[in-house]
Amino acid sequence: MGVMSEDADPSGQRAVAYPAAANAQPNRVTFNRLELHRILNLYGRMVADGEWRDYAIDFLKDRAVFSIFRRASEVPIYRIEKDPRLARKQGMYSVISATGLILRRGHELERVLLVIDRKLAVV
């Protein structure tokens, strides 16, 4: 614990430190609000059906990953990835299975999620 003089303004020290912390993460790939809304709607339906139980979100330098777990202690059963480097090639969205197999890749998140979205499946 440091000793501060009476003239030192603690709020001024935080103001100086805040811009450095704010500028530390602009180079990370993230899901935008609409993408996250679509993913979480699907996740919520599957949790209500009792199929999925947990998730994790990772924002990395080169991609964003939404991992879906059946149980928290296992490996993810699906990973939904957004990789902007592939936007002009195969598409930046992909759904990857637990074994690492790419189930579907594309330019539109809605169409990519259809591979795991059973709402539209005919029974």
Side-chain angles (χ1 to χ4, degrees):
M1 228 166 113
V3 178
M4 293 181 53
S5 69
E6 292 175 322
D7 296 335
D9 182 16
S11 63
Q13 292 175 351
R14 281 186 295 221
V16 172
Y18 179 73
N23 293 335
Q25 295 184 1
N27 58 353
R28 295 189 187 261
V29 177
T30 61
F31 292 108
N32 65 32
R33 184 181 298 248
L34 294 174
E35 294 165 342
L36 208 51
H37 182 263
R38 175 64 182 107
I39 293 169
L40 288 174
N41 276 344
L42 171 62
Y43 176 78
R45 282 197 316 270
M46 296 303 226
V47 167
D49 289 344
E51 294 188 33
W52 298 348
R53 300 221 188 278
D54 201 5
Y55 72 92
I57 302 176
D58 297 309
F59 299 126
L60 307 171
K61 285 186 177 185
D62 59 339
R63 67 187 188 276
V65 181
F66 187 95
S67 302
I68 300 164
F69 298 88
R70 183 165 288 138
R71 290 179 190 82
S73 62
E74 296 180 350
V75 296
I77 54 174
Y78 296 111
R79 290 189 333 254
I80 301 166
E81 293 192 3
K82 176 182 178 181
D83 190 346
R85 295 175 300 169
L86 301 174
R88 294 182 181 237
K89 296 178 183 174
Q90 302 111 339
M92 73 172 138
Y93 302 106
S94 59
V95 174
I96 303 169
S97 71
T99 60
L101 179 69
I102 297 174
L103 300 176
R104 185 173 282 181
R105 178 176 281 159
H107 298 282
E108 299 173 10
L109 181 62
E110 293 283 332
R111 295 184 57 92
V112 171
L113 290 179
L114 287 176
V115 73
I116 55 176
D117 189 356
R118 299 192 185 108
K119 174 183 72 172
L120 300 176
V122 178
V123 179

